[in-house]
Amino acid sequence: MERAKRALITGITGQDGSYLAELLLSKGYDVHGVVRRASSFNTGRIDHLYQDPHEANSKLLLHYGDLADGQSLTNLVLNIEPDEIYNLGAQSHVRVSFDAPLYTNDVTGTGALRILEAARQLNKYKPVRVYQASSSEMFGDVLEIPQTEATPFRPCSPYACAKVFAFHQTVNYREAYGLFACNGILFNHESPRRGETFVTRKITRAVGRIKEGLQQKLYLGNLEAKRDWGYAKEYVEAMWLMLQHDDPNDYVIATNETHSIREFLQLAFDAVDLNWQDYVEIDQRYYRPSEVNLLLGDYSKAKDILGWEPQTTFARLTHLMVESDCQLAIGERLSRENSATLA
């Protein structure tokens, strides 16, 4: 009996990692995830995958590792012998990268190189395919609209610079060593699993809490920045499709629409019949030292070659996130009320 395909995912506990793990498990993969050792568990997004001991539990295995530790990564790759590696791990917060540029460069940039080098060693005796999570932030102060795979990079943050380094290393390993390695240049992709420090989730989390009387104000920075926002659950399918194609390549994954943070804010508060202007205040601390004002991706290549295109509209995505965070806020309110009653 032929063994199941085996995938290794860095960043498996994040938004994209959790959706990708779900997708691969549904396709019969054995999934191995890399997690950093910490004093508390951070597996909330994937805990549900362990619920059925006859299926997911035997198919999903987690391993301690760190993108800053090349030896541990090489050991994992050579021991697991994956058919596919998805490098989603990173210090991925753009604003934080200005405060921790060296750490961001090491984990986000050099970390990708460590993965590629481990894959190169495995590829000497067993074929392996690598997906590198690249970012629309690499386009930075954009030179053309929309942005395609041919658009020059002009990174405007330490995070974006690290991603540009990782992008070119991926191309280099593909061309120099014949490694099957792809860059997915993903534009902003959101979901109810988005981290709460990212602006979309910060907004929808606040909407739910304000609606339930748990929060009074929401503090934000630049409301005029425009982004191309899609649904993360759909974007991980594009990652998988890249590694199923006969030839490795680089692809923009986007919606070919751009919307401002102000528009997202309006839709989110409208969903609960509130006026955002009554609750939002601008705080200069949330402005970046250098801002990327507009990102708009052209996904034509992915559509033509991979058959991929987005399905969820901007408005529907916003409502999905608001609905989820309203339910969380209701649970939080009830928990507080029960605690007060018991006290």
Side-chain angles (χ1 to χ4, degrees):
M1 182 177 176
E2 187 178 353
R3 75 164 176 85
K5 289 182 89 171
R6 192 176 298 158
L8 177 65
I9 304 173
T10 69
I12 194 171
T13 59
Q15 169 188 253
D16 294 5
S18 66
Y19 282 124
L20 180 61
E22 283 180 349
L23 176 69
L24 296 178
L25 289 170
S26 74
K27 295 182 179 296
Y29 280 67
D30 290 334
V31 177
H32 296 256
V34 181
V35 296
R36 283 179 298 165
R37 175 71 178 88
S39 58
S40 60
F41 289 110
N42 184 32
T43 57
R45 294 184 180 96
I46 57 173
D47 283 346
H48 65 287
L49 298 177
Y50 288 103
Q51 289 178 357
D52 186 345
H54 301 295
E55 291 189 26
N57 195 41
S58 61
K59 294 283 189 178
L60 175 62
L61 291 171
L62 300 182
H63 308 266
Y64 286 124
D66 197 311
L67 285 170
D69 182 353
Q71 189 61 58
S72 73
L73 294 175
T74 298
N75 291 344
L76 278 175
V77 168
L78 295 182
N79 288 335
I80 295 169
E81 296 187 341
D83 301 290
E84 298 170 6
I85 299 174
Y86 296 86
N87 184 34
L88 311 184
Q91 190 304 97
S92 58
H93 198 287
V94 177
R95 180 63 189 83
V96 170
S97 76
F98 286 99
D99 300 322
L102 297 180
Y103 175 76
T104 300
N105 184 69
D106 186 38
V107 173
T108 306
T110 309
L113 178 57
R114 295 181 182 113
I115 287 288
L116 290 164
E117 181 57 21
R120 183 184 72 84
Q121 294 190 39
L122 175 62
N123 201 55
K124 290 177 181 178
Y125 63 89
K126 180 194 175 300
V128 60
R129 298 186 172 197
V130 180
Y131 170 83
Q132 168 58 27
S134 291
S135 169
S136 59
E137 288 286 333
M138 300 187 304
F139 295 119
D141 186 11
V142 298
L143 291 173
E144 61 183 16
I145 301 172
Q147 294 88 57
T148 71
E149 294 81 4
T151 302
F153 300 139
R154 294 187 69 185
C156 292
S157 68
Y159 167 77
C161 290
K163 282 293 188 181
V164 169
F165 173 85
F167 176 95
H168 286 302
Q169 289 291 359
T170 301
V171 173
N172 181 51
Y173 269 65
R174 183 169 71 216
E175 296 178 350
Y177 302 116
L179 182 68
F180 192 111
C182 300
N183 283 292
I185 308 173
L186 271 59
F187 281 63
N188 292 62
H189 45 292
E190 318 297 317
S191 77
R193 299 182 191 176
R194 187 61 145 151
E196 294 179 17
T197 60
F198 291 87
V199 67
T200 52
R201 185 73 198 289
K202 184 177 178 181
I203 290 170
T204 60
R205 188 81 175 98
V207 166
R209 299 187 83 250
I210 289 170
K211 182 70 173 177
E212 295 302 316
L214 301 170
Q215 184 173 331
Q216 302 301 316
K217 290 290 183 180
L218 170 61
Y219 297 92
L220 295 172
N222 179 17
L223 302 186
E224 308 313 320
K226 291 185 175 181
R227 294 292 184 270
D228 185 325
W229 275 305
Y231 187 19
K233 189 173 183 178
E234 295 171 358
Y235 281 34
V236 299
E237 184 179 10
M239 301 176 187
W240 177 76
L241 286 170
M242 289 179 209
L243 297 197
Q244 311 317 305
H245 199 266
D246 291 338
D247 300 308
N249 215 319
D250 307 317
Y251 298 90
V252 163
I253 304 299
T255 70
N256 204 17
E257 291 184 14
T258 189
H259 299 274
S260 68
I261 294 173
R262 186 184 297 273
E263 289 178 75
F264 189 95
L265 199 58
Q266 181 82 50
L267 280 174
F269 275 87
D270 282 352
V272 294
D273 297 318
L274 293 176
N275 181 0
W276 69 267
Q277 292 173 317
D278 293 335
Y279 302 97
V280 175
E281 293 188 10
I282 303 302
D283 189 330
Q284 294 296 322
R285 290 177 300 173
Y286 294 112
Y287 278 78
R288 300 176 184 176
S290 58
E291 182 61 84
V292 174
N293 292 313
L294 187 154
L295 292 173
L296 174 62
D298 181 349
Y299 64 90
S300 299
K301 181 178 176 181
K303 181 180 179 180
D304 293 343
I305 298 177
L306 304 177
W308 180 91
E309 56 184 325
Q311 303 296 324
T312 304
T313 65
F314 175 69
R316 178 58 185 150
L317 174 61
T318 307
H319 281 218
L320 277 173
M321 295 177 67
V322 170
E323 289 167 7
S324 175
D325 276 325
C326 281
Q327 289 302 309
L328 285 178
I330 290 171
E332 184 180 350
R333 175 178 58 78
L334 293 175
S335 178
R336 287 192 183 189
E337 290 172 358
N338 290 338
S339 296
T341 300
L342 292 174

